[in-house]
Amino acid sequence: GAVCEAVDNCAVNNGGCASRANCTRLGPGRSSCSCHAGFTGTGETCTEINPCEHSHGQCSPHATCSHTGPNARACECKANYTGDGSVCSEVDSCQTSHGGCSPHATCTKTGPGRNDCKCNQGYAGSGTSCSEVNPCSAAESGDCAAQATCNHTGPGQHTCSCNSHYEGDGRVCTMIDYCATNHGGCSAHANCSSGSSGATCACNDGYEGSGQACAEVDACVQVPAVCSGEATCTRTGPGSAACVCNA
């Protein structure tokens, strides 16, 4: 009792504070406890703070919050999202390799990391693979007439042109009437017949020639003679004559 020393509570059993707390001497026999950083409690009891349990650790709603230590966390964007974890944006898969679509297709974003591929006009296929449409290869020959030729001019495009000896817009073709123009090149004394290869000319009765040129037949000079040798032949028209017996 001759010498008295002040009691330091913190020197024994951390002053009754938790192992995750600091003991602070306040005076003889007096102390206070305060939890370490990253822990919460009275000091006598301390619990590690998990920030993910409060407001999702300030991570994006599209991120995963991972508790990494006392009051520490890591935010990582979920699949099909990109960012730092605090902010996460939807991945637009069309921005990478055209979303796996064909170069001849349109890529449309349908959700985070998802897209749809649709072949462009004039092409056909799954969207990831698109082939040029050739209307001329179809059964309907690109809606051209049976007497026309279908010409493939581009993806899903074509023109129709009437074949030789036919006229029209290619979708409707009619046989050319060669006799309708200049009588088909025939003589005025000939009959014109229009066919698939052109006009045919035949001289009318009483005329002779190629058809393009026709001369009147003189029956009185024909061999054999029209009239008897004792008769006079009088021409009465193309290829016709009258016979009168001589006196």
Side-chain angles (χ1 to χ4, degrees), residues 176-195 197-202 210-213:
I176 296 173
D177 183 359
Y178 291 100
C179 295
T181 303
N182 196 31
H183 197 46
C186 299
S187 165
H189 302 295
N191 178 64
C192 181
S193 299
S194 183
S197 59
T200 301
C201 304
S210 63
Q212 283 82 25

Side-chain angles (χ1 to χ4, degrees), residues 207-237:
Y207 292 85
E208 61 185 356
S210 63
Q212 283 82 25
C214 295
E216 189 174 316
V217 174
D218 185 350
C220 291
V221 298
Q222 282 185 321
V223 178
V226 174
C227 301
S228 164
E230 290 79 27
T232 298
C233 179
T234 302
R235 179 182 173 192
T236 59

